[in-house]
Amino acid sequence: MLSGHKPYNADTPMAVAVKHVTDPVPNILSMVPSLPIEVDGVIKLSMAKNRDQRYSTALEMAKALNLVAFGREGNTKPVTGGATLLQQKTAAQPSRSKTGFTMVGAVLLVVIVGVFLLRNQLFASPQATPTLEVVPTTTTVKTPTEEATLTAVPATATIDPASLLAPACSAEIGIPTPIVRETNKACVMKIPYTSVSIPEGAAFESINPSLKCAIETTSDGKSIVACTGRQLYSYDLKVCVPPVVANEDLNKCSADSVFLSANQCCAPIPADGAGCTIFKVDLRACQ
């Protein structure tokens, strides 16, 4: 009501709910610096995460608002005028009805004080001095002949989420396949070994459990993987380099696409096997 904005914003309702529980209460003065400093204290106290740290009653909050708006707590005693007739009408009703009237009265009191706070702090000229006015007990209704004055309320600008996304990748841009090369063949104690070079950080697995592979060294962005198995056999080694998306790029694409950092664009989520290649490992004969 004071800033025209919600306290928390997120992409999903669940994320908003999490922020209500975990995020600190926003500083109202950063959005409306013309408000008194005490207003920020009232808001943070009334929105405290721990309910034991909030105002215990609506009356306490009304007093605090009065103190900020007018410099004193004001007359917050219950109004007794006309209460006799109300008590006679509600004497036979359940006690929860009395509680309901009390709750409504407290809410109305907070609303009235809030209206005074808004009028004096947000819409008054800088030279105006807040004054306490007596609210009349009767309501003046304008006749149909009186001209109604309409105040135009500026529409809140909305941002299309699609405008914040990165552009789509062109058709020829896709998930690149890793480059795998054979670097050496050797026999160690009559056991055949074949070494292959794969990109650093790439995942690899043998299609056949008889082929055993392990990383020997890593340098200059490449890893050397040594594989061994039965002599004169060929095995398939699967090497994959899935796209890695940095935290700051997580929201740059829609849910059905992935961000390619190298190309700064969004590509469709790759099918199984995208970013992977099958390399044939041939083991020599060792006598």
Side-chain angles (χ1 to χ4, degrees):
M1 184 169 62
L2 292 175
S3 66
H5 300 282
K6 297 178 181 179
Y8 304 105
N9 291 287
D11 294 334
T12 63
M14 180 58 69
V16 174
V18 171
K19 286 191 173 185
H20 272 283
V21 177
T22 59
D23 285 14
V25 178
N27 187 346
I28 187 67
L29 299 179
S30 63
M31 292 178 284
V32 190
S34 60
L35 289 173
I37 298 177
E38 295 80 5
V39 173
D40 184 60
V42 173
I43 292 177
K44 289 183 178 178
L45 188 61
S46 60
M47 293 179 63
K49 308 298 179 183
N50 185 349
R51 64 180 182 181
D52 295 332
Q53 296 176 357
R54 305 174 199 150
Y55 293 104
S56 59
T57 64
L59 188 59
E60 285 188 11
M61 183 176 178
K63 290 180 179 180
L65 289 172
N66 264 338
L67 193 61
V68 175
F70 311 118
R72 53 180 176 272
E73 293 182 354
N75 182 14
T76 55
K77 295 181 180 179
V79 179
T80 57
T84 304
L85 180 59
L86 178 62
Q87 292 174 357
Q88 291 175 354
K89 290 182 178 180
T90 59
Q93 296 183 6
S95 59
R96 61 183 179 181
S97 298
K98 297 180 181 180
T99 303
F101 280 116
T102 303
M103 294 277 295
V104 171
V107 171
L108 288 177
L109 179 60
V110 173
V111 170
I112 291 172
V113 174
V115 170
F116 274 107
L117 178 60
L118 285 176
R119 183 180 63 182
N120 289 327
Q121 301 300 334
L122 293 181
F123 303 110
S125 61
Q127 294 79 15
T129 302
T131 57
L132 180 61
E133 298 181 3
V134 179
V135 180
T137 57
T138 59
T139 302
T140 302
V141 180
K142 292 185 177 181
T143 63
T145 58
E146 293 181 358
E147 182 180 358
T149 302
L150 298 179
T151 302
V153 179
T156 302
T158 59
I159 300 176
D160 184 6
S163 64
L164 304 178
L165 301 179
C169 298
S170 57
E172 64 271 12
I173 296 179
I175 308 300
T177 56
I179 298 176
V180 182
R181 293 189 176 92
E182 182 180 272
T183 60
N184 188 31
K185 288 180 181 288
C187 291
V188 179
M189 299 181 66
K190 296 184 178 182
I191 298 176
Y193 285 90
T194 296
S195 298
V196 295
S197 170
I198 67 174
E200 182 180 356
F204 61 90
E205 63 173 328
S206 172
I207 305 300
N208 190 314
S210 297
L211 180 69
K212 308 296 182 182
C213 299
I215 294 179
E216 282 188 335
T217 60
T218 298
S219 63
D220 299 331
K222 297 180 181 179
S223 296
I224 302 300
V225 178
C227 299
T228 184
R230 297 178 62 182
Q231 301 182 36
L232 295 175
Y233 267 76
S234 293
Y235 300 94
D236 289 334
L237 180 67
K238 183 178 181 181
V239 181
C240 298
V241 182
V244 178
V245 182
N247 290 335
E248 60 271 17
D249 296 333
L250 289 177
N251 297 322
K252 289 187 176 180
C253 299
S254 58
D256 58 350
S257 58
V258 63
F259 185 76
L260 301 182
S261 299
N263 306 99
Q264 293 294 303
C265 60
C266 297
I269 292 181
D272 292 341
C276 298
T277 187
I278 303 296
F279 183 79
K280 189 173 292 295
V281 177
D282 295 321
L283 297 178
R284 61 182 294 183
C286 296
Q287 301 297 332

